[in-house]
Amino acid sequence: MRGREGFGEVDQVLGKILRQAVWDRLDLLDELASSADNRSLLSVARSELPRLAYGWRALLATHAPDPRGRCPQCSSRWRPRTSPCSVWRAAHEHLIPDAMPQIDVTPQVRRAAPVPAGVG
């Protein structure tokens, strides 16, 4: 009896198919949002928005903090992750874009201090 031996390749192929299907669906929704006529766009919004909201709720439920304030999905025994985890932060960023002030996190170029006259 082989057990799970040999399933690694199958899991990888299935994972690749699953990821590609999700990316393709997101690409289709982007295309529809940017080029569909109003009637089609309304139809897509009515069918897809509830599905997207349900999907976000399901994802966020699995990342709800435990009684100690840790995310059970992002934590491991040796590396606890406090809430809000990266999934909750991404949800907040993408679903509530104006709720928090934008913080510029781009690295700043540090300019050399001017050399005082007579030095150097």
Side-chain angles (χ1 to χ4, degrees), residues 11-113:
D11 290 344
Q12 286 180 356
V13 170
L14 290 176
K16 185 176 180 179
I17 291 169
L18 180 141
R19 285 187 300 277
Q20 189 61 52
V22 170
W23 288 122
D24 289 347
R25 184 62 170 198
L26 291 171
D27 289 344
L28 173 66
L29 292 174
D30 280 339
E31 178 67 26
L32 288 169
S34 65
S35 64
D37 61 84
N38 287 342
R39 185 175 175 165
S40 299
L41 193 54
L42 181 59
S43 175
V44 169
R46 283 191 173 142
S47 66
E48 293 299 321
L49 285 176
R51 291 171 50 152
L52 291 171
Y54 177 83
W56 270 108
R57 284 186 183 105
L59 177 64
L60 293 171
T62 65
H63 288 266
D66 66 14
R68 293 183 291 186
R70 297 177 177 165
C71 174
Q73 292 297 313
C74 296
S75 296
S76 69
R77 182 179 199 157
W78 297 275
R79 193 170 235 180
R81 299 286 186 209
T82 58
S83 187
C85 68
S86 61
V87 172
W88 273 95
R89 288 191 305 272
H92 189 268
E93 177 185 341
H94 295 287
L95 295 173
I96 309 171
D98 296 328
M100 293 180 61
Q102 296 296 317
I103 300 170
D104 184 13
V105 292
T106 56
Q108 300 298 316
V109 176
R110 189 172 260 178
R111 295 194 171 113

